[in-house]
Amino acid sequence: MGSTVSASAGPDTTELGTITVPAPSFAEYAAADRRGRNGIVVDQHARQADAEHYAHVFYRPITDAITTSLTAPDPTAALTAATESAELNGQARAFEEVAAGFSRWWKAARATPVPVGESILRFGSLAVAVRPHLGFRDRAGVEHAVLLHLKEAPLARDAANAALRMLDRCMLDLLPGAVPLVVDVRRAKQYRLSRSVNVELLDAWLAAQASAYVTHWCRTD
């Protein structure tokens, strides 16, 4: 079973020998097939070696624009500016789809943004950095901590459940009392953890995937 610790100093402060992976990448790894897992681990090695790696910077402008849009007088302007300034191959189309999907979802949510923290979920030598993209309060007064799925491929239900459970387990650090939410942005589709999910079995599965990730990481250059 993993345990949570406050991440007020940021996930980069994990002790020597700890492998750190962002929650979305670990959720994707947990739900992926063999080929997908290989790609994720290789990509994470490359990210660690280069702070400005393509995978780090590709979505950064649009996620920054989303954050800005939450409190901007003209939310669309921030998203449009990010799309128009896209430079990397494939960025413009990706940003257009993300901006359109996010705008559709956020408009339907009719929510009020609220601050949200960060945390680390530990599984032995694996530290999963749980950094929600945003927090909000809905019309009923219920608060939510949200991770966004930005990629072109649809979010798998298993990956959504993994991300939701990690948010849930870290909620005291993120936004106490809030409900975890994952949004497949391009499709403006949101996921909640179903009451029918056996969380003990889900936690056991996450622990097993963490062990597999560590082994995979250590055997991959």
Side-chain angles (χ1 to χ4, degrees):
M1 302 285 284
S3 60
T4 58
V5 296
S6 174
S8 57
D12 293 337
T13 61
T14 50
E15 65 271 16
L16 186 65
T18 298
I19 301 162
T20 304
V21 59
S25 295
F26 178 61
E28 185 180 359
Y29 177 89
D33 58 17
R34 178 185 59 80
R35 185 173 182 178
R37 289 184 172 211
N38 285 338
I40 291 165
V41 173
V42 169
D43 174 70
Q44 289 300 312
H45 272 288
R47 291 188 190 205
Q48 179 174 282
D50 180 6
E52 293 301 313
H53 186 266
Y54 180 88
H56 278 301
V57 302
F58 187 87
Y59 286 107
R60 188 182 297 164
I62 194 64
T63 55
D64 288 346
I66 285 172
T67 301
T68 299
S69 75
L70 297 177
T71 55
D74 183 2
T76 302
L79 300 173
T80 300
T83 301
E84 291 178 346
S85 64
E87 297 178 346
L88 299 176
N89 184 38
Q91 260 187 337
R93 181 176 66 85
F95 288 6
E96 286 175 1
E97 293 179 0
V98 167
F102 179 79
S103 295
R104 190 162 71 253
W105 170 74
W106 186 245
K107 183 178 180 179
R110 294 172 60 186
T112 302
V114 296
V116 65
E118 300 179 357
S119 189
I120 295 174
L121 182 61
R122 299 181 186 275
F123 299 91
S125 59
L126 182 70
V128 180
V130 183
R131 294 168 164 170
H133 292 92
L134 61 101
F136 73 85
R137 182 181 301 109
D138 66 20
R139 287 167 287 177
V142 178
E143 293 183 330
H144 298 73
V146 185
L147 279 172
L148 304 178
H149 173 77
L150 304 168
K151 294 185 177 181
E152 182 175 12
L155 179 66
R157 180 74 233 198
D158 280 347
N161 282 346
L164 287 164
R165 182 56 179 157
M166 288 187 285
L167 284 170
D168 192 35
R169 289 172 60 173
C170 294
M171 201 58 75
L172 284 177
D173 288 337
L174 306 178
L175 188 59
V179 175
L181 193 69
V182 174
V183 179
D184 185 341
V185 179
R186 299 200 200 195
R187 282 147 287 273
K189 181 177 181 180
Q190 62 184 30
Y191 291 84
R192 301 175 188 272
L193 196 60
S194 171
R195 292 182 181 179
S196 65
V197 172
N198 185 319
V199 293
E200 290 185 358
L201 291 179
L202 183 54
D203 285 345
W205 176 68
L206 286 172
Q209 302 314 308
S211 179
Y213 188 96
V214 170
T215 300
H216 206 151
W217 173 274
C218 293
R219 291 175 177 267
T220 304
D221 293 329

